[in-house]
Amino acid sequence: MPRVSIMSCLTHWLCSTHNVNVSSDVKLVEKYWKSSYTCLTDGLACFDVCSDIPNKALVSANLGRLMRQCAAVFSTLAANQLEEFSQQEKVYYDKAISYYQGALQILKNRNSYAEIWTSIQNDLSGVCFTYGTMLQDRAPLSRLPPQEIEREVLQILLKSLQHTEPEIPFCAVGSSRHILFCLRAGDGHYRLASLYHHSIRSGSATQLKVKQARGQAEKHYKKAINSYLLEHHYWKILQVHIEYASLLELYGAKPKSPQMILKYLSECKVVLEIHLSDNSSSDADQPLSVAEKDLPNKLLDILTCKIRQCLKELVAINVKKSCSNEVLKRLYATSLKTNTEEKDTKILSRQLCNLLADINIKYLKLESYSS
């Protein structure tokens, strides 16, 4: 069964038009939506009569894609006008999920039609992820309280993971589908961790909820790191490491906190080494959007600052330990020489790798032996 490609063309046409009367454009496109919907539902009824399971599932999935494209039109229009997530988008995304789930129910399991099952799982997890990120990034705070929005985002992103992670073992390692599923799983866990982390920083939760949120944030940060593929998503892994370190900063017990955080940040050395071993001339293989093109430099800058801060605090804490304090002072002096103005990420990564290696050999290992 062919995909509903006409809707992509209509979305592009509507979103690139310079016509002032946008509402009339939407009405025009809605005519095509209704025609497509009628044809697909008629086809669904025909395949139902002849008990054609695979085609029936594919048509149901196409109905899901149609609803997703309907939502995409309103999403693009709203995003261009910096508007909140609309009720129209919610309606269409909910319908899309319902049709995709219906397609899976028709197949029952992956045993008989594995390729179709995986394709629909991919589409369903994708639409859930897009829905969740849209709702999170353009939260409708004028209509709903923050707690309800958070609850909806959590449910939708968890649903995305439920249809993503089970498929990873069935993908050929290194295939485009395997990379996509691992990326989506990592992004899903990362967004969930960030959501819990934000709820802690906001200070609106009770002590019990803060403790629960911290546990959930830690769990999803770790799952995000384990889901991403190191050779393909090293910048994303570095970002998760840095945000997880920020979570540790909130709850670390002095005077052990700087040492604990520094030990954790030392794990970033492996990520930086992968970047240094990447012989490509750019970060083309890294799934970074236009808005994220400066992300590598920002991450390396933040990592440098966090390492410096930990060393600075440790120098103050260990003032009475002359031996370790001298080592820390030298390491701190070295960290100050790291050039965060350097635009070449490989040069800065090499400087940080050398610094982290020195920290591990000259301080962390010695401290572990002495304790």
Side-chain angles (χ1 to χ4, degrees):
M1 190 74 188
R3 291 175 180 260
V4 188
S5 57
I6 188 173
M7 290 310 303
S8 298
C9 300
L10 289 169
T11 303
H12 174 74
W13 169 76
L14 176 61
C15 298
S16 61
T17 183
H18 296 289
N19 194 333
V20 176
N21 193 359
V22 177
S23 59
S24 63
D25 291 334
V26 173
K27 288 180 181 179
L28 178 61
V29 175
E30 282 179 334
K31 290 183 180 180
Y32 291 98
W33 294 347
K34 291 176 181 178
S35 298
S36 298
Y37 181 79
T38 300
C39 291
L40 288 168
T41 50
D42 287 347
L44 190 62
C46 291
F47 287 127
D48 189 31
V49 170
C50 60
S51 301
D52 189 333
I53 291 175
N55 276 313
K56 186 179 173 184
L58 285 169
V59 174
S60 184
N62 270 329
L63 281 163
R65 294 188 191 103
L66 176 61
M67 296 299 106
R68 182 178 189 172
Q69 290 293 344
C70 293
V73 170
F74 289 107
S75 294
T76 307
L77 290 173
N80 288 342
Q81 298 171 31
L82 303 177
E83 293 180 355
E84 295 180 349
F85 189 82
S86 67
Q87 184 64 27
Q88 291 167 310
E89 292 170 80
K90 175 178 171 55
V91 168
Y92 282 120
Y93 275 122
D94 285 339
K95 287 182 179 180
I97 291 171
S98 178
Y99 279 117
Y100 282 128
Q101 287 177 327
L104 292 177
Q105 289 171 1
I106 291 167
L107 296 174
K108 294 183 180 178
N109 55 59
R110 66 176 298 113
N111 296 341
S112 300
Y113 308 98
E115 189 62 30
I116 297 175
W117 176 273
T118 301
S119 176
I120 295 172
Q121 284 276 71
N122 178 32
D123 287 350
L124 177 52
S125 67
V127 76
C128 288
F129 181 77
T130 302
Y131 184 5
T133 55
M134 289 277 189
L135 185 58
Q136 186 177 19
D137 295 343
R138 295 167 38 231
L141 295 170
S142 64
R143 299 199 320 270
L144 298 171
Q147 294 81 1
E148 187 172 339
I149 296 171
E150 283 185 10
R151 194 159 48 246
E152 285 190 32
V153 171
L154 287 172
Q155 290 173 351
I156 296 165
L157 290 179
L158 284 172
K159 187 184 290 289
S160 174
L161 288 169
Q162 288 168 4
H163 293 281
T164 301
E165 293 180 312
E167 293 301 314
I168 294 175
F170 295 99
C171 298
V173 176
S175 66
S176 58
R177 180 170 284 173
H178 179 252
I179 295 170
L180 172 64
F181 276 131
C182 289
L183 173 63
R184 189 176 293 155
D187 284 347
H189 283 298
Y190 167 64
R191 279 192 167 263
L192 286 169
S194 296
L195 192 66
Y196 283 114
H197 194 165
H198 174 74
S199 69
I200 295 170
R201 285 197 304 260
S202 66
S204 57
T206 62
Q207 192 63 32
L208 177 61
K209 288 187 176 180
V210 165
K211 187 176 180 181
Q212 292 172 342
R214 180 193 174 188
Q216 289 294 325
E218 288 183 352
K219 179 183 79 173
H220 286 292
Y221 276 135
K222 290 175 182 177
K223 284 191 173 184
I225 291 170
N226 292 331
S227 297
Y228 287 130
L229 300 174
L230 186 57
E231 65 272 26
H232 292 283
H233 313 133
Y234 46 79
W235 291 126
K236 286 182 175 287
I237 294 173
L238 184 61
Q239 184 173 24
V240 177
H241 273 302
I242 289 171
E243 292 198 21
Y244 187 21
S246 297
L247 181 67
L248 295 177
E249 288 170 1
L250 287 175
Y251 290 99
K254 303 284 184 177
K256 291 290 185 181
S257 176
Q259 184 178 330
M260 175 185 67
I261 295 166
L262 190 61
K263 185 176 180 180
Y264 178 74
L265 289 174
S266 67
E267 296 178 16
C268 295
K269 181 174 177 287
V270 177
V271 183
L272 298 175
E273 287 172 339
I274 295 296
H275 173 48
L276 290 172
S277 66
D278 186 353
N279 294 322
S280 61
S281 57
S282 67
D283 297 313
D285 290 336
Q286 290 287 291
L288 302 176
S289 65
V290 176
E292 295 174 314
K293 64 180 181 179
D294 296 327
L295 181 63
N297 290 94
K298 290 178 180 177
L299 291 176
L300 294 173
D301 187 21
I302 295 170
L303 177 60
T304 304
C305 292
K306 284 189 177 296
I307 293 170
R308 282 177 185 166
Q309 185 61 31
C310 286
L311 290 169
K312 185 178 179 180
E313 289 181 20
L314 285 168
V315 168
I317 292 170
N318 291 274
V319 68
K320 294 181 180 179
K321 297 180 181 179
S322 57
C323 181
S324 61
N325 207 38
E326 285 303 314
V327 172
L328 287 166
K329 284 180 179 179
R330 287 196 293 271
L331 290 171
Y332 179 59
T334 303
S335 73
L336 292 174
K337 296 175 185 177
T338 305
N339 184 14
T340 54
E341 298 299 318
E342 176 60 60
K343 296 301 180 184
D344 189 325
T345 57
K346 291 203 171 183
I347 292 176
L348 185 51
S349 294
R350 190 171 291 107
Q351 292 175 357
L352 285 169
C353 270
N354 293 336
L355 174 61
L356 289 170
D358 284 346
I359 289 171
N360 190 46
I361 295 169
K362 297 176 181 178
Y363 175 68
L364 292 176
K365 283 188 177 180
L366 292 176
E367 284 296 303
S368 64
Y369 290 145
S370 62
S371 58

